[in-house]
Amino acid sequence: MHRVDNFQDLQSEATEWRRFLHQTPELDYRLHKTARFVAEKLASFGINHIETGIAETGIVALIQGEGGDGPTIGLRADMDALPILEVSQKPWSSTIPGKMHACGHDGHTAMLLGAAKYLAHTRNFKGTVALIFQPAEEDGRGGQRMVQEGIMDRFEISQVFAMHNWPGLEVGKFSICDGSICAALDEFDIVVKGKGGHAASPHKNVDPIVIAAQIILGVQTLVSRNTDPTESLVISVTKLNAGQAYNIIPEHAEIAGTVRTLAQALRDFAERQIEVCAKGIARAFGAEIEFRYRRLEPLVINHTEGTNLALKAARGLVGPAAVDDKCKPSLGSEDFAYMLEARPGAYIRIGNGPTASVHHPAYDFNDEALPYGIGYWVNLVETALAAGN
Ligand code: NI
């Protein structure tokens, strides 16, 4: 098991890669420059099995160990940026107005490249490492598409792991938990269909705005009055559109929002009960509704065996005191969920120090974290695929 000092000499090179990627952010699947950069680097490390163009701009590259036959472990990094105008004013700031690496996927890519360089050089493991560089994490579909395009079966990946930087967690620390670590993400739309007319004669109309207001308050009670308070459910109404004039009661009001939860049963509950609640309120006032609910991203559920492996790799790198094994799950979502639905494994957080939060225009990945991320990947591979076992 390596301590982090073994990876300090990769830091300056990985910092250069990270800052290059930071200056040239690309969005969703349109990661042509990023993917070319990654593939060129991988080839320069002596990796000869590199498959590009998976899910448009995703890459899977294989490194064979010299310790004999063994299973294949998948390590995933996301590569896409966000449509945000950067305000950090760092010398390596985004050169493309309105696009920036505000979630640190530049750092994730650089850390996996650093690990690839090390592992391709040492090959001190049995079996195979599959390096997975995915597009379109932010739109929540890139991971799913890579799975749909068959990477798990085609590359015979038996376990899969991911890492995300975590502002607020000190550099050199890791945190993880067994079970749900990121939330399921769903969206809903409710159209309240009333009866429009002159605002001066409300008794001749069915006012969808007043009904929408009741529905918005009503669905909040699903969280406060119908859900076990020790469990997590978020129902946020994030859009409300109705009316165009001071003197007209409109025909329709449109409500939209998001649901986040850490438990499958609560997801089923929310989907069912938001509709029941909205429909009941609308009927009480003489209106009808149209209801749509979309399940966008599954829960990220860490598997016990994968979590234990991740803990071992991180503790070996930074010592047990720097690894929190019972972190609070986040109500954010992460499309690594699709990979964990396909194969067992785990998702871990790596400290990014006191930076701005992810998705903030002043955010920047912390280059001090690079050797920790590289070291974690190497320890994980050399533990999961220990030569001689
Ligand atoms: Ni992210």
Side-chain angles (χ1 to χ4, degrees):
M1 195 74 73
H2 303 284
R3 302 291 297 184
V4 72
D5 308 341
N6 289 17
F7 305 99
Q8 302 290 7
D9 53 346
L10 273 166
Q11 184 174 352
S12 58
E13 202 176 358
T15 300
E16 275 175 40
W17 304 334
R18 206 286 293 180
R19 292 181 182 178
F20 171 79
L21 293 168
H22 193 85
Q23 285 182 305
T24 51
E26 296 178 294
L27 302 183
D28 50 66
Y29 294 98
R30 294 166 291 173
L31 310 182
H32 301 285
K33 282 185 191 150
T34 306
R36 197 178 322 125
F37 176 82
V38 168
E40 280 171 11
K41 284 285 166 242
L42 293 171
S44 78
F45 305 152
I47 297 170
N48 43 34
H49 191 131
I50 303 168
E51 195 173 317
T52 58
I54 305 171
E56 297 186 39
T57 47
I59 296 171
V60 176
L62 303 179
I63 309 174
Q64 251 84 39
E66 286 174 351
D69 288 344
T72 299
I73 184 174
L75 313 180
R76 174 278 215 167
D78 36 17
M79 303 188 286
D80 55 323
L82 282 158
I84 297 176
L85 181 65
E86 179 160 10
V87 301
S88 82
Q89 297 195 321
K90 301 250 172 86
W92 54 88
S93 260
S94 169
T95 57
I96 304 170
K99 295 181 191 173
M100 77 172 281
H101 270 291
C103 202
H105 298 183
D106 49 349
H108 302 167
T109 302
M111 292 190 289
L112 192 56
L113 282 175
K117 181 170 185 182
Y118 186 96
L119 291 166
H121 182 65
T122 54
R123 300 190 187 244
N124 183 26
F125 55 93
K126 63 179 182 182
T128 305
V129 174
L131 308 158
I132 304 169
F133 293 91
Q134 80 151 79
E137 193 287 319
E138 296 295 355
D139 93 341
R141 287 287 175 269
Q144 183 184 33
R145 262 184 77 179
M146 286 192 91
V147 172
Q148 283 169 345
E149 292 189 15
I151 61 164
M152 297 299 172
D153 293 333
R154 204 141 46 85
F155 300 102
E156 298 181 335
I157 294 167
S158 60
Q159 298 184 79
V160 68
F161 292 84
M163 175 163 41
H164 206 293
N165 75 92
W166 211 254
L169 182 65
E170 270 173 60
V171 170
K173 292 194 170 177
F174 290 85
S175 73
I176 189 169
C177 63
D178 193 8
S180 300
I181 186 163
C182 305
L185 161 63
D186 299 342
E187 289 175 357
F188 62 89
D189 290 280
I190 302 167
V191 181
V192 181
K193 302 195 311 196
K195 182 169 173 286
H198 202 295
S201 41
H203 57 294
K204 293 180 181 166
N205 311 316
V206 176
D207 185 348
I209 294 179
V210 173
I211 297 167
Q214 305 273 357
I215 289 173
I216 292 165
L217 295 175
V219 298
Q220 291 306 311
T221 67
L222 299 178
V223 177
S224 65
R225 302 291 85 189
N226 298 102
T227 303
D228 182 335
T230 63
E231 293 190 54
S232 299
L233 175 65
V234 172
I235 300 176
S236 292
V237 171
T238 52
K239 291 198 230 175
L240 172 62
N241 290 307
Q244 303 187 43
Y246 288 98
N247 58 355
I248 302 168
I249 289 169
E251 287 277 309
H252 300 126
E254 293 167 11
I255 300 165
T258 184
V259 172
R260 312 290 175 111
T261 171
L262 298 165
Q264 201 57 50
L266 278 176
R267 194 178 200 190
D268 298 338
F269 165 83
E271 176 165 13
R272 197 175 56 239
Q273 290 306 123
I274 292 173
E275 182 174 18
V276 167
C277 177
K279 202 174 258 176
I281 289 171
R283 288 224 172 112
F285 292 96
E288 293 295 326
I289 62 157
E290 250 174 54
F291 182 73
R292 286 184 298 278
Y293 193 95
R294 289 178 299 283
R295 295 185 175 216
L296 295 185
E297 289 190 39
L299 292 153
V300 176
I301 303 173
N302 278 342
H303 296 242
T304 303
E305 204 181 313
T307 305
N308 289 337
L309 204 59
L311 280 169
K312 210 169 159 189
R315 284 173 177 153
L317 188 76
V318 294
V323 183
D324 176 4
D325 61 358
K326 289 191 176 57
C327 71
K328 268 193 197 168
S330 137
L331 272 288
S333 67
E334 155 69 69
D335 87 344
F336 182 60
Y338 291 104
M339 295 194 187
L340 278 186
E341 280 192 336
R343 290 295 185 273
Y347 163 97
I348 197 167
R349 299 171 184 161
I350 176 171
N352 203 52
T355 60
S357 64
V358 291
H359 295 214
H360 189 279
Y363 169 86
D364 191 27
F365 182 85
N366 191 335
D367 292 315
E368 296 301 314
L370 291 166
Y372 293 95
I374 295 168
Y376 168 76
W377 283 136
V378 171
N379 275 356
L380 187 75
V381 167
E382 292 186 2
T383 306
L385 304 178
N389 275 4

